[in-house]
């Protein structure tokens, strides 16, 4: 990795400020899903074991610059305390004399958590004074919050002006997994893209076009492509204003020789609700007053066949309205198939809040190669954008021989020559097989 990590400095005797993403669901004062907390534990443990005092910072929800009692981090601190088997006291506010003293008193091996950073509007405004105040609590800054890396906030970007900034272990794993897709991916590479809307995923489709051999499109966003191909989709979710863009993408795929699979049959329902009347129809016969809610069995079969040769798969977005179990067949079938493929050695990377929720329901998260903790961040990364929270981390010094003008792990570099040809041979083989 081209960024320096916690392994690149000596934590002994240092106060390390760690930005984590503890934005977890809380219900009745308890953490409902602690995956994000667990994901940060390796970094915290590493620092403690190497003699650091650890000060954790996170946001929770959208309190919009005010104290919101239900968005206090106490339940998170309690959960973390159980995971680390040591006390995790929490400050009453991220600012103030009390917080400053608590940070100053902290000894090696101890942990302190700051209260919700977004209780102050200055956090999201990336206010310089706020960043400076936070920076005073520590000697070193570590960012382990990949899920927030696409936001330039005081605790992710501003603070790096005042302290040496390193990647945490989770951040490192995320960057490596995501950049492997853009820079050193094993072909054939298939991308399964679903979810509600095309908007927000156009950038990813466009950027991945350079490296992907096969796109498999499902979910609500497939409707816009079906309309671009001349089908009608009844009452389904549709972004009419994006039909032209969808057509452009189809054309681009055609020109670049990228396979672009859309559903051939779908499940349609009279209402998008539990218990609604539903049936399977070919995409040529979607009834006027019905909505597409899932991909059909023939499509599942075709998707599985297309995924079979893939050495790498990226998946974002459920293939149907999986929250209603009857409309979750497509999502469940592909999830199970991909888990099996991952176990046979394929690299399967899944990103996106809802997609990961679907995998959790099926208890399949552990069987995938990598589950991204960042939905929006992972998409922006794959769009080839530079994430501000990653940019500010210290660059690793490159060995002179291979040092380019500016040695930054820039995902966008995948758009240039070498990668285009990297896709070449493997791809034509895949195409030949598929056609
Ligand atoms: P992720 O969070 O994994 O990135 P998105 O947020 O893009 O995924 O999309 C998830 C949502 O898409 C789910 O709530 C799901 O119900 C919805 N969805 C999937 N298929 C359809 C469809 N055919 N019509 C309407 N909504 C759909
Ligand atoms: Mg979502």
């Amino acid at each position: 990795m081209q960024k320096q990590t916690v392994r690149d400095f000596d934590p002994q005797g240092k106060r390390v400020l760690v930005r984590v993403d503890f934005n977890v669901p809380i219900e009745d004062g308890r953490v409902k899903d602690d995956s994000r907390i667990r994901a940060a534990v390796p970094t915290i443990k590493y620092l403690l074991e190497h003699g650091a005092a650890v000060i954790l910072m996170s946001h929770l929800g959208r309190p919009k610059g005010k104290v919101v009692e239900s968005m206090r981090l106490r339940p998170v601190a309690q959960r973390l305390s159980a995971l680390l088997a040591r006390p995790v006291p929490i400050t009453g506010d991220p600012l103030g004399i009390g917080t400053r003293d608590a940070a100053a008193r902290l000894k090696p091996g101890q942990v302190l958590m700051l209260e919700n950073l977004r209780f102050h509007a200055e956090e999201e405004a990336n206010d310089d004074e706020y960043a400076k105040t936070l920076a005073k609590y520590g000697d070193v800054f570590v960012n382990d919050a990949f899920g927030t890396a696409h936001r330039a906030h005081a605790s992710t970007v501003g603070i790096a002006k005042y302290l040496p900034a390193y990647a945490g272990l989770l951040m490192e794993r995320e960057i490596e997994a995501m950049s492997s897709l853009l820079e050193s991916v094993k072909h054939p590479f298939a991308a399964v893209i679903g979810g509600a809307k095309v908007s927000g995923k156009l950038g990813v489709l466009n950027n991945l076009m350079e490296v992907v051999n096969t796109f498999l499109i499902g979910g609500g966003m497939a409707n816009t492509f079906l309309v671009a191909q001349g089908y009608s989709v009844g009452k389904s979710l549709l972004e009419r204003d994006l039909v032209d863009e969808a057509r452009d993408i189809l054309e681009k795929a055609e020109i670049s020789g990228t396979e672009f699979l859309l559903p051939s049959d779908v499940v349609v329902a009279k209402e998008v609700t539990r218990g609604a009347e539903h049936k399977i129809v070919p995409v040529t016969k979607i009834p006027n007053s019905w909505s597409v809610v899932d991909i059909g069995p023939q499509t599942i079969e075709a998707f599985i066949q297309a995924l079979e040769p893939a050495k790498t798969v990226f998946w974002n977005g459920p293939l149907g309205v999986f929250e209603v179990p009857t409309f979750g067949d497509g999502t469940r079938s592909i999830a199970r198939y991909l888990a099996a493929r991952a176990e046979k050695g394929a690299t399967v990377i899944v990103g996106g809040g809802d997609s990961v929720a679907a995998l959790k329901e099926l208890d399949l998260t552990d069987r995938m190669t990598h589950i991204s903790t960042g939905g929006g961040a992972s998409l922006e990364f794959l769009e080839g954008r530079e994430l501000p929270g990653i940019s500010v981390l210290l660059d690793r010094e490159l060995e002179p021989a291979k040092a380019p003008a500016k040695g930054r792990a820039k995902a966008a570099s995948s758009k240039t020559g070498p990668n285009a040809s990297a896709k070449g041979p493997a791809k034509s083989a895949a195409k030949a097989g598929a056609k």
Side-chain angles (χ1 to χ4, degrees):
M1 190 167 86
Q2 278 137 313
K3 290 293 175 181
Q4 296 195 41
T5 75
V6 282
R7 283 190 234 91
D8 292 299
F9 69 91
D10 181 10
Q12 185 64 47
K14 299 216 169 63
R15 259 171 248 285
V16 183
L17 264 167
V18 187
R19 176 57 158 103
V20 285
D21 182 357
F22 285 169
N23 184 27
V24 297
I26 300 212
E27 235 175 59
D28 303 325
R30 296 186 72 108
V31 174
K32 216 181 133 213
D33 176 356
D34 67 358
S35 346
R36 283 184 169 177
I37 305 175
R38 285 176 185 274
V41 164
T43 300
I44 301 170
K45 275 198 173 152
Y46 174 91
L47 290 168
L48 294 172
E49 279 162 13
H50 287 80
V54 172
I55 301 161
L56 299 167
M57 320 182 273
S58 180
H59 73 283
L60 176 66
R62 297 205 167 105
K64 304 220 166 101
K66 288 198 187 71
V67 175
V68 178
E69 287 303 324
S70 64
M71 293 180 193
R72 285 198 179 273
L73 280 164
R74 174 176 298 282
V76 174
Q78 281 169 345
R79 186 74 203 101
L80 179 65
S81 166
L83 290 169
L84 294 175
R86 69 180 85 204
V88 179
I90 181 155
T91 64
D93 188 297
L95 302 181
I97 295 176
T99 301
R100 206 179 61 203
D101 288 351
R105 276 198 309 270
L106 210 61
K107 301 220 164 52
Q110 294 184 332
V111 187
L112 174 71
M113 191 183 289
L114 304 187
E115 184 52 280
N116 194 341
L117 295 170
R118 292 193 190 166
F119 282 177
H120 297 271
E122 289 86 347
E123 160 66 357
E124 289 185 85
N126 192 10
D127 178 78
D128 189 53
E129 274 307 310
Y130 189 62
K132 203 171 178 177
T133 309
L134 295 175
K136 281 190 187 141
Y137 302 145
D139 309 306
V140 175
F141 170 61
V142 168
N143 192 345
D144 213 20
F146 178 72
T148 324
H150 57 317
R151 305 273 180 246
H153 293 167
S155 68
T156 59
V157 168
I159 194 167
K161 200 166 122 189
Y162 300 103
L163 292 176
Y166 299 87
L169 300 171
L170 170 63
M171 177 70 93
E172 179 185 31
R173 266 205 299 139
E174 292 274 14
I175 295 175
E176 285 190 334
M178 290 299 146
S179 50
S180 79
L181 293 178
L182 297 176
E183 285 159 9
S184 55
V185 72
K186 283 204 189 115
H187 294 275
F189 175 18
V192 182
I193 312 283
K197 294 176 169 181
V198 188
S199 49
K201 301 204 178 168
L202 281 168
V204 174
L205 289 171
N206 274 314
N207 197 40
L208 286 186
M209 191 75 75
E210 311 279 337
V211 282
V212 155
N213 302 99
T214 306
F215 279 110
L216 303 97
I217 308 292
M221 67 178 284
N223 300 331
T224 305
F225 286 99
L226 289 172
V227 169
Q229 288 194 322
Y231 301 108
S232 58
V233 295
K235 270 197 321 186
S236 304
L237 178 71
L238 169 71
E239 288 162 288
R240 201 165 286 286
D241 53 328
L242 290 181
V243 171
D244 284 341
E245 288 220 44
R247 204 172 284 123
D248 287 347
I249 287 186
L250 290 169
E251 220 165 83
K252 209 172 148 187
E254 180 81 40
I255 292 166
S256 67
T258 307
E259 206 181 349
F260 204 92
L261 292 181
L262 287 168
S264 57
D265 64 341
V266 287
V267 178
V268 292
K270 276 209 161 151
E271 301 296 332
V272 188
T273 48
R274 200 178 279 261
E277 194 185 332
H278 61 279
K279 59 185 179 185
I280 296 157
V281 297
V283 291
T284 48
K285 297 208 167 94
I286 298 172
N288 271 336
S289 54
W290 295 56
S291 300
V292 173
V293 290
D294 198 4
I295 54 174
Q298 198 184 306
T299 304
I300 294 176
E301 201 48 47
F303 277 16
I304 285 178
Q305 241 179 56
L307 287 168
E308 207 180 284
K311 288 210 173 75
T312 310
V313 181
F314 171 69
W315 182 11
N316 170 274
L319 300 172
V321 184
F322 76 101
E323 295 91 338
V324 178
T326 331
F327 308 149
D329 277 349
T331 303
R332 285 191 296 266
S333 307
I334 298 302
R336 290 201 186 97
Y337 180 72
L338 290 180
R341 297 280 307 144
E343 277 164 351
K344 289 221 172 83
T347 300
V348 181
I349 299 181
V350 185
D354 294 291
S355 316
V356 175
L359 291 183
K360 276 184 190 146
E361 259 175 41
L362 296 167
D363 207 14
L364 291 178
T365 45
D366 291 345
R367 292 171 60 192
M368 304 297 182
T369 315
H370 179 76
I371 299 283
S372 180
T373 49
S378 62
L379 288 180
E380 286 198 20
F381 196 106
L382 293 179
E383 279 177 34
R385 289 207 236 167
E386 204 168 319
L387 308 191
I390 295 177
S391 303
V392 296
L393 303 178
L394 290 170
D395 282 313
R396 189 176 292 291
E397 280 192 34
L398 295 181
E399 293 151 40
K402 55 178 177 182
K406 202 162 187 204
R408 190 157 268 174
K410 215 180 156 190
S413 67
S414 67
K415 283 181 172 176
T416 54
N419 288 287
S421 61
K423 174 173 160 179
K427 165 174 201 133
S428 28
K431 284 293 282 186
K435 284 209 167 155

